[in-house]
Amino acid sequence: MSTLLEKHIVELLQERNEKAISLLYEHYGDTLYGVAHKVVRNEELAQDVLQESFVKIWKKSDTYDSSKAKLFTWLFRITRNTAIDKLRSVNTKTDKEIQMDVSDVYNLGVDSIKPEFMDVRENLGKIEEKYQIVLDALFFQGMTQQEASDELDIPLGTIKSRLKIGLRELRKIYGPTMIITLLLSLL
């Protein structure tokens, strides 16, 4: 990667310009996914780690100091640490009983996204029906992942997988910026 492009990305990050995330994803996404996958050794977990890493990168963008590390080194460390944390979290969850009735993890809604202002509904028809159904339930009907799982009688893990794959298919239509913008607006 050229030094000029790296400097441009850093400037955009420090300005909190969302284009920085798109450029980071375009130039570093595959490599960072590889870092995550090497640690967690699971495709789905690696995708989660990559997503969480980009959110952390966005939130911590003002802490990057080019005099201490190159951009890639900083990105690598965030991704690797996130992967290690994810792996520990998964191992801890399997060791403990999860209290579903006191957890609000599955009560996250998507009220902040207004898909009616985008042509998502029109382009939804371009992806497989099983992904359309899940995306429709989550984005247009405002269901949480748990509610969609119950309503559609589909296991929660399958809902999550179909959401990720559906978003990946929409990313092919819209490009990575739209999907990352959707994810950032969920925070």
Side-chain angles (χ1 to χ4, degrees):
M1 167 167 294
S2 78
T3 307
L4 288 176
L5 181 58
E6 186 174 309
K7 285 181 182 179
H8 180 64
I9 292 172
V10 170
E11 288 171 4
L12 291 173
L13 269 174
Q14 291 174 342
E15 294 170 1
R16 307 288 292 170
N17 186 325
E18 290 180 7
K19 185 172 181 173
I21 293 293
S22 177
L23 289 171
L24 284 172
Y25 188 84
E26 181 181 330
H27 293 282
Y28 295 104
D30 291 339
T31 305
L32 295 176
Y33 171 81
V35 169
H37 192 271
K38 186 168 182 152
V39 173
V40 298
R41 300 187 185 279
N42 176 296
E43 186 175 323
E44 188 174 323
L45 281 179
Q47 290 171 358
D48 284 347
V49 166
L50 184 62
Q51 204 171 51
E52 289 174 26
S53 297
F54 273 99
V55 170
K56 285 181 182 180
I57 289 164
W58 179 254
K59 286 181 174 181
K60 296 179 178 186
S61 61
D62 59 333
T63 66
Y64 173 69
D65 184 355
S66 61
S67 67
K68 292 183 179 179
K70 289 187 174 191
L71 179 62
F72 177 74
T73 304
W74 184 69
L75 299 170
F76 173 87
R77 286 181 185 153
I78 289 174
T79 304
R80 184 175 175 276
N81 290 341
T82 303
I84 291 168
D85 291 344
K86 177 65 86 175
L87 197 56
R88 287 178 182 153
S89 171
V90 167
N91 289 339
T92 302
K93 284 180 185 174
T94 58
D95 294 342
K96 295 180 180 178
E97 181 181 339
I98 299 174
Q99 300 290 325
M100 294 298 288
D101 57 331
V102 296
S103 172
D104 63 352
V105 171
Y106 299 108
N107 295 329
L108 298 174
V110 290
D111 296 334
S112 60
I113 296 177
K114 304 292 184 215
E116 60 270 14
F117 296 120
M118 299 184 289
D119 59 345
V120 175
R121 192 178 287 276
E122 295 168 20
N123 286 314
L124 206 55
K126 296 178 183 176
I127 63 175
E128 286 185 48
E129 185 176 0
K130 61 185 178 181
Y131 306 124
Q132 287 179 35
I133 292 168
V134 170
L135 291 172
D136 181 69
L138 296 174
F139 291 104
F140 293 99
Q141 296 178 33
M143 293 183 195
T144 63
Q145 291 178 359
Q146 184 64 52
E147 289 169 342
S149 173
D150 296 339
E151 182 72 24
L152 300 172
D153 196 26
I154 299 173
L156 182 60
T158 305
I159 291 288
K160 291 180 178 197
S161 296
R162 289 182 183 175
L163 171 62
K164 288 179 190 170
I165 294 168
L167 288 174
R168 187 181 317 141
E169 293 302 312
L170 285 176
R171 185 174 58 222
K172 290 177 185 175
I173 297 168
Y174 290 102
T177 305
M178 189 280 293
I179 300 302
I180 291 171
T181 302
L182 283 174
L183 293 173
L184 287 174
S185 67
L186 287 172
L187 298 176

